[in-house]
C-alpha cells in the first residue's frame, strides 16, 4: 500500500514539475518571438475525442499516435529548430526519456539541416542545451545511456527571470 502511494505521489510530482518546466520554456519562446529571433511553438499531441464535452468543458480522449518532439519552429533567417524539453530532479538524465518516434523525428529534421537539441532542466537550477548528435550518440560518446549533470557544463544555458536563453550562441 505504501509503495503504491509513493509511486502515485512521485507520478503526480513528475507531472507537475514537467508542466512547470513547460511554462518556463513557453515564456522563453515568447521572448524569442517578441525580440524577432525565432517563432517556436509547442507541438500539439495527436489525440481523438472519445466523448462529448460535459458541463465543465471536459471530455475523454486518447492519443492516436506517439508524440513528436515538444517544440518546432524557425529561427530568423529561415533555419528550422526542433527540440525536446525534459526536466529531472536527479543528477542524471536518461537516453530513454525520448521515445523512438521522437528520436526518429529529431534525426530526420537534423539530417535536413535543422537545429535539433534536447533542453534539460536539473531541478530548475541548471539548464542545458544538448545538441542532437551528442544525445543521439550518447551510448558511444559516454559509454552509457545517461548523462551526468557534471558532464554538461559546455552545454549550459543562461537564464534570467523566467527566460531561458537556449538559442544563445546558435549559428
Amino acid at each position: 500500500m505504501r509503495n503504491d502511494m509513493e509511486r502515485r505521489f512521485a507520478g503526480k510530482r513528475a507531472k507537475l514539475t514537467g508542466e512547470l518546466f513547460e511554462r518556463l520554456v513557453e515564456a522563453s519562446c515568447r521572448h524569442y518571438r517578441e525580440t524577432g529571433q525565432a517563432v517556436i511553438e509547442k507541438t500539439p499531441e495527436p489525440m481523438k475525442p472519445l466523448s462529448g464535452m460535459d458541463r465543465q468543458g471536459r471530455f475523454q480522449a486518447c492519443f492516436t499516435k506517439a508524440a513528436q518532439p515538444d517544440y518546432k519552429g524557425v529561427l530568423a533567417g529561415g533555419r528550422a529548430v526542433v527540440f525536446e524539453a525534459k526536466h529531472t530532479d536527479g543528477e542524471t538524465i536518461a537516453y530513454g526519456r525520448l521515445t523512438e518516434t521522437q528520436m526518429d523525428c529529431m534525426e530526420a529534421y537534423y539530417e535536413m539541416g535543422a537545429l535539433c537539441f534536447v533542453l534539460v532542466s536539473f531541478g530548475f537550477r541548471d539548464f542545458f542545451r544538448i545538441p542532437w548528435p551528442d544525445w543521439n550518440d550518447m551510448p558511444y560518446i559516454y559509454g552509457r545511456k545517461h548523462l551526468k549533470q557534471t558532464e554538461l557544463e559546455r552545454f549550459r544555458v543562461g537564464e534570467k527571470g523566467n527566460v531561458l536563453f537556449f538559442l544563445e550562441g546558435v549559428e
Side-chain angles (χ1 to χ4, degrees), residues 76-102:
R79 186 176 183 197
V81 60
V82 179
F83 65 95
E84 181 67 22
K86 295 295 182 193
H87 171 81
T88 183
D89 286 320
E91 296 177 7
T92 64
I93 187 77
Y95 181 80
R97 293 283 304 270
L98 272 66
T99 68
E100 188 174 329
T101 299
Q102 290 167 328

Side-chain angles (χ1 to χ4, degrees), residues 69-125:
D70 288 335
Y71 294 90
K72 295 178 186 171
V74 63
L75 305 174
R79 186 176 183 197
V81 60
V82 179
F83 65 95
E84 181 67 22
K86 295 295 182 193
H87 171 81
T88 183
D89 286 320
E91 296 177 7
T92 64
I93 187 77
Y95 181 80
R97 293 283 304 270
L98 272 66
T99 68
E100 188 174 329
T101 299
Q102 290 167 328
M103 300 273 290
D104 291 345
C105 191
M106 294 280 275
E107 183 64 21
Y109 275 95
Y110 180 76
E111 287 177 5
M112 295 299 292
L115 171 65
C116 298
F117 55 91
V118 180
L119 183 63
V120 179
S121 162
F122 283 92
F124 294 108
R125 291 177 314 277

Side-chain angles (χ1 to χ4, degrees), residues 7 22 36 59 71 75 89 93 115 123 134 137 149 153 159:
R7 273 195 299 274
E22 186 175 300
F59 62 92
Y71 294 90
L75 305 174
D89 286 320
I93 187 77
L115 171 65
D134 287 77
D137 292 339
Q149 180 179 343
E153 196 56 40
E159 52 89 18

